[in-house]
Amino acid sequence: MGSFLVWLTCVSVLSCSISTDEFLVMGPSKPIVAMLGGEATLPCSLVPAMNAEDMELRWFHTKFSEAVFIYRNHQEEYEEQMPHYAGRTSLVRDFLTIGEAAVHIQQVQASDNGRYTCVFQKGGHYAEGILELQVAGLGSAPQVHIEGPEQDGVRVVCKASGWFPKPQVQWTDLSGKKFLEFSEAHAQDAAGLFSVEAALVVRDSSAGSVSCSVLNPILGQEKAMAVSIPEPFFPQASPWKAAFAGILTVLGLLLFGAGCFTRREHSAKLQERISLLHDDWSVTLNPDSAHVNLAVSPEKKSVTWNYTGVDLDDRYSVLGLEGIMSGRCYWEVEIRSGEGCNWALGLCRDHMTSTGWTTQSPDEGFWVVECYYNNYLAWTKSLQALSLRKYPRRVGIFLDYSEGDVSFYNMTDGSHIFSFPPASFSGTLYPYFMLEGYVTLSICPTEGGPEGLPVPLSKSPLEEAVRPPGEGLSSGTLRSTLCISLSVMEKTRMFSTHQ
């Protein structure tokens, strides 16, 4: 061995060979990129080209003893192979006669990322080359939600998981201008995949919406999601606030009296509408329409959150089984939830599915009211913030197909929530429910007939103004009533209704 001339040749950082005077081993000059869960090939070649069939070949990750793959005596050997690579490697031997060999790795994992060494040995002579494998994985699309007011702005949070390597996060406004100041935290799970949470405080009430993008630095690919921030979400501060306090008080009383009168009108209108309903329409849930993370009971009367490990850029929704193509329909949704619950309910067209995110507006085939962190919203041409006096524990939904009327009522206090502008319906409409997190929805069949329907209020607006909370329009027992109970066990997983 004393006569060996040991020398080092490095074409680049990655294409490096330590050799005797017999031959060199060269690896690729650029990193090899492999997708998480996909396949990777780690090639090495002899210089000068020569037959490598009779050589011993070894690939290792960090230490010589930690073998990724071994070829010896014309066959693959597995006794010294690291358990991590067992069953995932094979030799590409098509070009062994000209000194080219490669190890093929299946089901690439985050731990496969890094630098490898390949060693070719013939008798007492050996050489080794160096190559690098870069593993890349696109994780879940970012989920963006409004957490609430903070200082002089609104705090918006963006979350994503399952990325590799550590992703980069960027917030932008409608014009594409980047926000430079935001907090960012990363975590890595047992499989080595990264999750990220980035929080931004938006202080400009005219921003309209902001977008969060999560970028894979190796692939240069990103996933993004935007959220609209209604102006009423921003804290209101005015130097004239004290001066207008008296005026606002008077206006408030006038509006309250007008609201009571309006409620009386809406109550009478709702009772009139319900009296015209038919008896042949009922509601059950359609299991075939339920998202993969939702489980519908065999009797189609309840649906629960059943997380399957699949994080998609989807709506976690389920539709009613019975479609509506004509006539008038009415059902109620009873809502039981903890603080800060989020839900959406209403109607959608028959071609709507849970795949992908769109604005839940009539233009997209949705007539929906939602509660988002105790803020009530509805989309028409734009997002509207709804002002409610009382949290609705039960919501009544009325549809007049021929008139294009979709209206929502707070059956807790008998008030009107919202009516969409008249629409021209075509095709089938379905009751629509959306949820995410540990939520249970149960259909509660009711008994009774017309005598249980809501009745118009008979008291004057002033008498109505002092009525104890909860009194007034009674939900009673209705034909074909749908009662949905929401029991929230996890508040950290929320849905967003915006693109």
Side-chain angles (χ1 to χ4, degrees), residues 204-284:
D204 184 1
S205 60
S206 65
S209 69
V210 293
S211 177
C212 173
S213 62
V214 182
L215 171 72
N216 186 298
I218 294 177
L219 302 175
Q221 298 181 25
E222 67 178 15
K223 293 185 178 182
M225 187 174 188
V227 61
S228 296
I229 310 176
E231 191 165 346
F233 281 27
F234 288 85
Q236 301 298 316
S238 171
W240 304 102
K241 187 174 182 179
F244 285 117
I247 297 175
L248 291 177
T249 300
V250 174
L251 287 176
L253 291 173
L254 292 175
L255 290 174
F256 184 81
C260 291
F261 180 76
T262 302
R263 188 182 81 172
R264 181 180 175 183
E265 287 188 319
H266 281 299
S267 300
K269 187 175 181 180
L270 177 60
Q271 193 277 338
E272 179 184 356
R273 288 172 165 180
I274 294 175
S275 67
L276 299 175
L277 295 177
H278 301 293
D279 295 325
D280 58 355
W281 189 77
S282 61
V283 177
T284 54

Side-chain angles (χ1 to χ4, degrees), residues 282-289 300 319-324 430-431 433:
S282 61
V283 177
T284 54
L285 299 176
N286 182 1
D288 294 336
S289 71
K300 303 174 187 177
L319 305 182
L321 180 61
E322 297 78 14
I324 309 167
Y430 288 90
F433 312 94

Side-chain angles (χ1 to χ4, degrees), residues 177-444:
K177 182 180 178 181
K178 296 179 179 180
F179 292 92
L180 301 180
E181 296 183 5
F182 59 89
S183 64
E184 185 177 349
H186 294 84
Q188 206 167 2
D189 62 19
L193 306 183
F194 286 91
S195 60
V196 60
E197 178 174 331
L200 170 72
V201 177
V202 182
R203 294 181 170 84
D204 184 1
S205 60
S206 65
S209 69
V210 293
S211 177
C212 173
S213 62
V214 182
L215 171 72
N216 186 298
I218 294 177
L219 302 175
Q221 298 181 25
E222 67 178 15
K223 293 185 178 182
M225 187 174 188
V227 61
S228 296
I229 310 176
E231 191 165 346
F233 281 27
F234 288 85
Q236 301 298 316
S238 171
W240 304 102
K241 187 174 182 179
F244 285 117
I247 297 175
L248 291 177
T249 300
V250 174
L251 287 176
L253 291 173
L254 292 175
L255 290 174
F256 184 81
C260 291
F261 180 76
T262 302
R263 188 182 81 172
R264 181 180 175 183
E265 287 188 319
H266 281 299
S267 300
K269 187 175 181 180
L270 177 60
Q271 193 277 338
E272 179 184 356
R273 288 172 165 180
I274 294 175
S275 67
L276 299 175
L277 295 177
H278 301 293
D279 295 325
D280 58 355
W281 189 77
S282 61
V283 177
T284 54
L285 299 176
N286 182 1
D288 294 336
S289 71
H291 188 275
V292 66
N293 285 337
L294 301 180
V296 177
S297 65
E299 67 277 11
K300 303 174 187 177
K301 294 297 183 180
S302 66
V303 58
T304 60
W305 177 254
N306 182 31
Y307 184 59
T308 61
V310 177
D311 288 308
L312 301 172
D313 187 16
D314 291 349
R315 284 185 299 272
Y316 302 103
S317 62
V318 61
L319 305 182
L321 180 61
E322 297 78 14
I324 309 167
M325 298 185 66
S326 63
R328 299 180 179 90
C329 298
Y330 176 81
W331 66 99
E332 290 187 1
V333 178
E334 187 177 69
I335 304 155
R336 297 178 183 175
S337 65
E339 189 72 20
C341 175
N342 302 271
W343 44 264
L345 53 92
L347 290 153
C348 72
R349 292 199 188 106
D350 57 353
H351 68 273
M352 295 295 106
T353 67
S354 62
T355 302
W357 281 95
T358 57
T359 301
Q360 294 185 128
S361 67
D363 288 343
E364 300 293 339
F366 292 90
W367 290 263
V368 170
V369 164
E370 65 173 292
C371 173
Y372 189 75
Y373 280 98
N374 292 328
N375 294 285
Y376 298 91
L377 312 169
W379 277 97
T380 51
K381 291 294 183 181
S382 60
L383 184 63
Q384 295 191 34
L386 307 178
S387 178
L388 303 185
R389 296 198 314 270
K390 191 168 184 177
Y391 186 94
R393 299 299 176 185
R394 178 173 293 193
V395 173
I397 304 169
F398 176 83
L399 166 67
D400 188 326
Y401 191 97
S402 60
E403 296 295 327
D405 181 10
V406 179
S407 297
F408 296 80
Y409 297 87
N410 184 350
M411 305 309 290
T412 303
D413 63 359
S415 61
H416 174 251
I417 296 177
F418 183 74
S419 290
F420 281 91
S424 178
F425 295 129
S426 62
T428 308
L429 299 179
Y430 288 90
Y432 173 81
F433 312 94
M434 180 177 173
L435 60 146
E436 182 180 2
Y438 292 105
V439 180
T440 299
L441 311 179
S442 299
I443 296 176
C444 310

Side-chain angles (χ1 to χ4, degrees), residues 87-98:
R88 297 198 296 127
T89 60
S90 60
L91 180 67
V92 181
R93 59 175 76 193
D94 297 348
F95 303 102
L96 276 180
T97 55
I98 59 174

Side-chain angles (χ1 to χ4, degrees), residues 16 18 23 25-27 42-46 52-82 85 89-92 96 100-105 115-122 125-131:
C16 184
I18 299 177
F23 50 80
V25 174
M26 305 299 295
L42 310 181
C44 287
S45 58
L46 288 168
E53 289 181 314
D54 297 328
M55 292 186 177
E56 177 181 329
L57 313 179
R58 175 188 294 256
W59 277 257
F60 63 90
H61 200 175
T62 54
K63 298 179 181 179
F64 183 86
S65 60
E66 298 177 349
V68 174
F69 182 84
I70 298 175
Y71 170 84
R72 183 187 295 141
N73 297 327
H74 299 270
Q75 63 183 6
E76 302 174 6
E77 294 190 0
Y78 301 101
E79 292 183 0
E80 299 179 48
Q81 186 182 47
M82 295 175 62
Y85 293 95
T89 60
S90 60
L91 180 67
V92 181
L96 276 180
E100 296 181 4
V103 167
H104 188 72
I105 302 177
R115 181 167 293 191
Y116 290 77
T117 303
C118 55
V119 181
F120 285 47
Q121 183 172 349
K122 183 178 181 180
H125 304 285
Y126 75 95
E128 62 183 43
I130 297 174
L131 61 158

